[in-house]
Amino acid sequence: MYGANVALYKLLLRLKKDCGIAPWVAIPAEGVFTQCLKEEGIPYYICPMTQWQGVYSSALRFAVKKCIRKRKIKKEVDELVTWLKDKKIEAIHSNSSVIGTGAMLAKRLGCKDIWHIREFSEEHFNMRYFYPKKMVKQYYEEARYLITISDAL
C-alpha cells in the first residue's frame, strides 16, 4: 500500500477501534488494501470509480472523454446509492479530489461529505474537470470538511 491508502487504512482502524464507528469502504478493485480490510473485518464493496477529471490534450479528445466518463460516473453513483441506501450512512469520506463520487453520493444520500484533498490535479497533471466549474465549486463548498495534506492546497 502507498501513502493515500495507508492514511485511509489508519483512519479506518482508528474510527473502528477508538470511536466505535463501523466503516464501510467502496473501492474500485481487490488488492492489498482489501486484504487488510478483510483481516480487520471492515466490509467493502467493489465498484468502479471513474475520475471526474481527465488529462487535457485537445478539445476533441477531452469532449469524448467527458461524455463517456460522465455516463460512467452516473452509473457508478446510482450503483453505490443502491448499495448504501439502507445502511444509515452518516458521512462519506473521499480519499482524493480526482474522484467526485463521494460528494455526489453524500448529496444523494443526504449525509456529510468529508474530502481529503491530496493533489493539485490541474497544476501537476494537466487535468480538468468534466463538470462545470460552478458545480465542482459547489461540491467543495458543501463538504462538511476539506482535509488537505499541505497548506499549499
Side-chain angles (χ1 to χ4, degrees), residues 15-35:
L15 289 171
K16 182 179 178 189
K17 294 178 179 176
D18 298 347
C19 304
I21 293 173
W24 295 77
V25 179
I27 189 164
E30 294 276 349
V32 174
F33 188 63
T34 56
Q35 186 57 44

Side-chain angles (χ1 to χ4, degrees), residues 26 45-50 69-86 100-109 131 139:
Y45 182 76
I46 302 294
C47 177
M49 300 226 186
T50 301
R69 290 204 192 168
K70 285 176 81 173
R71 271 189 251 141
K72 284 183 176 180
I73 291 167
K74 182 185 181 326
K75 182 180 175 192
E76 293 162 8
V77 170
D78 289 346
E79 180 180 338
L80 288 166
V81 165
T82 299
W83 177 61
L84 292 170
K85 68 181 176 189
D86 297 325
T101 306
M104 294 175 189
L105 277 171
K107 188 169 193 138
R108 292 260 310 265
L109 295 169
Y131 296 86
Y139 277 122

Side-chain angles (χ1 to χ4, degrees), residues 2-3 7 20 31 41 44 47 52 59 65 70 80-81 88 103 122 143 149:
Y2 297 99
Y44 64 90
C47 177
W52 71 335
K65 277 188 207 177
K70 285 176 81 173
L80 288 166
V81 165
K88 299 180 179 146
E122 186 170 353
I149 63 167

